[in-house]
Amino acid sequence: MIRETGAEPTHAVIWLHGLGADGHDFEPIVPHLRAAARRPVRFVFPHAPVRPVTINGGMAMRAWYDILGMSIDRDQDEAGILASVASVHVLIDEQIESGIEAGNIVLAGFSQGGAIALRTGLARTEALAGVMALSCYLLQADRLESWSQPASARVPVFMAHGEHDPIVPLALGRQAADRLEAAGYSVEWHSYPMPHSVSPEEIQAIDAWLEAIWS
């Protein structure tokens, strides 16, 4: 699904939803982003494929990869992760081919989508404008240096998390931010008194971050 804030977009945000949701999940946020109203931005909200999810009893739902156990930052389906990373690379390439510079593209995601956003955005051979990772964790953190690319080292990373998140514990998000900072990434970290969700204060911080990286 695509939504544009003006004709002939010069900027883009590819926003990946969380487990069990779909591409419509974050569409309502667009009108609240003044940074997107100040310039023509194309928002791309893809749908993850439907697949059985082991941790949810094998129920079929939209998921970027299978989650195999309770250690959600480690018990994943690596083939599914790599397939989703490849599909998101294609989405980014399509925006570049349409005339939007890589340096104007933000890759964003929530929960599982945020994990894929980090895993994909930091593996690009050309630097994106930024990566936004909400209420998530870092996939394959122990192999960061093997899959990340030198160009990604200068990509700004925005991370935010709920302090009362029962799905993805705050500690996993903080560990991801610490791991990235230790590797030299510039991470803007926020936490909010909320569960596994997005708050108005978080949207304001996202808006300010987008304006800063696009200015």
Side-chain angles (χ1 to χ4, degrees):
M1 187 186 63
I2 293 176
R3 179 166 179 177
E4 297 180 349
T5 64
E8 300 182 1
T10 55
H11 297 67
V13 178
I14 300 170
W15 204 315
L16 311 179
H17 63 77
L19 178 66
D22 62 26
H24 297 285
D25 204 27
F26 284 90
E27 184 184 8
I29 287 179
V30 174
H32 300 282
L33 299 175
R34 290 176 294 179
R38 293 191 179 104
R39 52 185 62 81
V41 180
R42 176 180 297 136
F43 284 85
V44 181
F45 296 105
H47 301 297
V50 175
R51 70 180 81 214
V53 176
T54 302
I55 199 172
N56 288 343
M59 184 180 299
M61 61 186 65
R62 292 198 180 277
W64 298 106
Y65 50 87
D66 190 13
I67 298 177
L68 306 174
M70 295 303 293
S71 297
I72 59 173
D73 58 327
R74 295 191 302 274
D75 294 336
Q76 301 109 359
D77 152 35
E78 184 158 349
I81 291 169
L82 296 179
S84 286
V85 167
S87 69
V88 176
H89 278 306
V90 170
L91 292 175
I92 297 170
D93 291 340
E94 288 174 349
Q95 298 312 306
I96 294 171
E97 290 164 7
S98 76
I100 298 177
E101 296 179 2
N104 286 338
I105 298 173
V106 170
L107 184 55
F110 176 81
S111 194
Q112 226 193 25
I116 290 292
L118 282 173
R119 178 61 180 78
T120 309
L122 303 184
R124 296 290 295 183
T125 55
E126 75 285 79
L128 300 179
V131 175
M132 184 197 311
L134 311 178
S135 301
C136 68
Y137 44 86
L138 182 62
L139 293 168
Q140 301 169 339
D142 58 335
R143 289 177 272 162
L144 175 63
E145 285 77 10
S146 69
W147 57 258
S148 59
Q149 292 294 321
S152 73
R154 63 179 185 273
V155 175
V157 178
F158 179 98
M159 298 189 72
H161 215 108
E163 295 164 1
H164 312 299
D165 191 332
I167 307 299
V168 180
L170 175 68
L172 289 183
R174 185 65 255 186
Q175 287 168 13
D178 290 345
R179 177 72 176 89
L180 291 173
E181 288 176 337
Y185 289 89
S186 175
V187 179
E188 182 175 328
W189 167 264
H190 298 262
S191 64
Y192 301 94
M194 64 181 186
H196 195 60
S197 60
V198 177
S199 70
E201 295 80 10
E202 183 178 12
I203 294 172
Q204 291 176 4
I206 289 169
D207 190 26
W209 179 77
L210 287 172
E211 185 60 42
I213 65 172
W214 280 340
S215 295

